[in-house]
Each structure stands twice: as structure tokens, then as C-alpha cells.
Amino acid sequence: STQSNMGDIGSAEEEETRTMLQQPVNQVRLTNVAVVRLKKQGIRFEIACYKNKVSNWRSGVERDIDEVLQVHSVFTNVSKGILANKKELMTAFGTEDQETVLKLILDKGEVQVSEKERQILYEQMYTDVATLVAQKCINPDTQRPFTVALIERTLRELHFTVKLSQTAKQQALDAIRLLSSHIPIVRAQMRLRLSCRAKEGPFIKEKLMRFEPTVESEEAAANFVMTFLADPGCFRGIDELLIQGTKRIGSVEILNPCVVAEGESRLDLTTRKHDLNEEFASVVISDGTVPTPAVAPPVAPAPRAAVSVAGSKRLTCNNCNCSFDSAEDHRAHFKSDLHRYNLKRKMKNLSPLSPEMFEDLSLEERDAFFMQDS
């Protein structure tokens, strides 16, 4: 029986060795693959690339094709390892050169990504589109911009879908058209400055009226100079008008690509809750639903505006408890680090710092505070 057992063990080892020898030793297993697919002449062609390298190749960051492709071969099915034959390449591309076909598929093909990666790209594109809309549009009733969160939430409720094959700017224009039929939203106007020779000024101004500009200032000395507001879609027409009417001597420049209402209420958190509720109240979807307004963080009651001896109100910042003698100082304050610092303190329910206390802080302490929760 011992010899019988030894024989069984030996035959088992021999069978295992035979099984191992039957496995191919030169098989290339493709891992970490990003498949780029292109359909042409009814034939599907695929190439195997490294993840994250395709976008680098298309943006020009990576120029070595060996760092992009896993295999220098054109497939009809990468997962099954089926190669495209020369007849198929000639029919679809008019050439049998593999390198030419590989570069063509790499440049024009569609990248096949995993479901999780596609979802991440989709959410990122959605946020980019909502951000562009918020930057370019305003509420015509208040002349103030909408928040990104409000735009994104409204687009989702309107079932707006983004396409990864198009740019965020193209889809932002589609989103604006969709939103304009449901909520009060318009493109913010641009502030432009037009200048040309004085003798051509009346002619240019007359032709300019068809774009319905809002003239802010006009000068006609040595040169004719006009500052006005116009819709962004009119800029190309205004530029062409100036080129033809002045024989390329005149010029038009953009002073502000997006004109919105300015003032303390845009930044002061004491009025933010009221502004948000007004924005949400004006947003009514076609089916009658209204988005739920966000709850602003609790803040302390704002002090009353300071009153001078003469009885007229001075310009103040309720957030920082500061007052100003001129509108210029008032506007400059809202762009200062002190105002940003106190805004963040108010979000944390902390009392504001005075200008003297803020100046005593080191740059490291300021940067560390700004970096919190960011």
C-alpha cells in the first residue's frame, strides 16, 4: 500500500507539472488600463493606454507615446485581445501604418473609464458649469449674482445633464437658457470703453445704438471716448463695427467683464440670510416646487449705523464695527484682509477684531486662521 501511495503522489506531481507547462509564459496581461475607442466605417477600434496619460497627451504635457500606450497595437477588442487586421485598418483609415492609426485614435477616440471615475468627472463638470453660470449671471431684480449652490441645486431639479465630451463653457450657455425660462436670471452686462477719432464719434455712436448700450460717460475732445454697458453677446458685433467704421484705428476695451451691484450687503453675513431667502423665493420651478432655503449661520445682532453730529449717516461696516468718511475707503475696506478675517470669525460666532488687534497678529497667525476649514 505504501508503494501504491507513493505512486499516486508521483503521478499527481507529474500531472501538476504538466498542467503548469501548458500555461503560456509570454502572455501580456494588461493591468491599469484605460481603453481609448474609436468607431469608423462601422468597425470599432481600441487601443490600451495607461490611466491619466491620455489627458496628458492631448493637453501636450506628455509627448512620448511610449509613456502613453501599453501596447503598440490596434485592437478590435482589448479585453479579449483581438487585434485589428490590415484589411480593416486600410478600409477605415486608408493606411496600414500602426503608428499613424494609434495617434489618430489617441487624439480623436473616446476614453472608456470606470463607473466611479466617470461619476467623479461628471460631478466636477456639474460644479464647473454651475460656477460659470453664477459668475456670468445676475438676478435682474436685485442686480446681484446668484450663489453657486443655488444654481447647482436648481439645475438638478430641472434635470439638467452635463456631457463630458463638451466644455463647461458650452454647457454653461445651455444651462443659462434653461434657467431663464424658470427663474429671473440674465447675463451680467460688460463695462466697455470705446475710443476713436473725434470726427468719427457721431457716426460710431449712431451705429452703436442698435446694440442698446447703457451710456455711463462720454467725452469728445481730441478723441471720442465713451464708457457704456452692453450685453456680452454684443461684444463681437461692436468690435466689428469699430473695425469697419474706423478702419482699425479705433479700439474697444473691456473694463469689467461682469458688472454686478456693489455694497456691504453682498459680504455682510447679517444680511446674508435675508438675501438667500429672497433668492430662493424668486426661484419657482415649472412644476410649482420651490427649493428649500439654506439656513445661514447664527450671527450676533448688528450694531446700528453711526450717526454724525450733523445727523447724516456715515458709511459703516457692521461686520467689523468700523465707520468711514469716504466711499472710496468704504469700498477698499471690503477687499481688505481685516474684513475677510472678521467674516470668518463671525462664521465661527466669534467677536470681530479691531484694526489695532489685527495688526498685532503675525502673518503666520493670519494664514493659519484663513486655512482653517478650507
Side-chain angles (χ1 to χ4, degrees), residues 147 150 271-281 293-296:
T147 61
L150 174 63
T271 60
R272 190 60 184 148
K273 181 177 179 180
H274 176 69
D275 291 344
L276 281 174
N277 288 336
E278 284 186 344
E279 290 182 28
F280 275 96
V295 179

Side-chain angles (χ1 to χ4, degrees), residues 157-290:
E157 293 185 1
L158 293 173
H159 306 291
F160 178 78
T161 57
V162 298
K163 300 176 182 177
L164 298 179
S165 58
Q166 296 182 0
T167 63
K169 186 175 181 180
Q170 291 174 326
Q171 298 181 83
L173 297 176
D174 296 334
I176 293 172
R177 283 191 287 269
L178 176 63
L179 289 169
S180 62
S181 60
H182 295 83
I183 64 175
I185 184 172
V186 294
R187 288 283 301 273
Q189 290 188 315
M190 306 171 69
R191 178 174 284 115
L192 305 175
R193 177 186 292 155
L194 181 149
S195 61
C196 62
R197 291 175 296 193
K199 62 180 182 180
E200 299 166 342
F203 172 77
I204 295 296
K205 181 179 178 180
E206 181 182 356
K207 295 294 184 182
L208 191 66
M209 289 300 111
R210 75 169 189 258
F211 298 107
E212 300 180 356
T214 303
V215 180
E216 294 184 331
S217 65
E218 182 180 333
E219 299 177 8
N223 291 322
F224 176 80
V225 180
M226 177 189 292
T227 302
F228 59 96
L229 302 179
D231 292 332
C234 300
F235 178 76
R236 182 174 297 180
I238 295 173
D239 189 46
E240 292 176 354
L241 168 66
L242 204 61
I243 291 175
Q244 296 174 0
T246 64
K247 298 180 180 180
R248 299 182 180 274
I249 296 178
S251 64
V252 57
E253 58 180 316
I254 301 175
L255 301 180
N256 190 344
C258 182
V259 179
V260 298
E262 296 182 355
E264 181 181 329
S265 59
R266 291 185 63 213
L267 299 176
D268 195 346
L269 293 180
T270 59
T271 60
R272 190 60 184 148
K273 181 177 179 180
H274 176 69
D275 291 344
L276 281 174
N277 288 336
E278 284 186 344
E279 290 182 28
F280 275 96
S282 63
V283 178
V284 180
I285 312 302
S286 57
D287 60 1
T289 60
V290 179

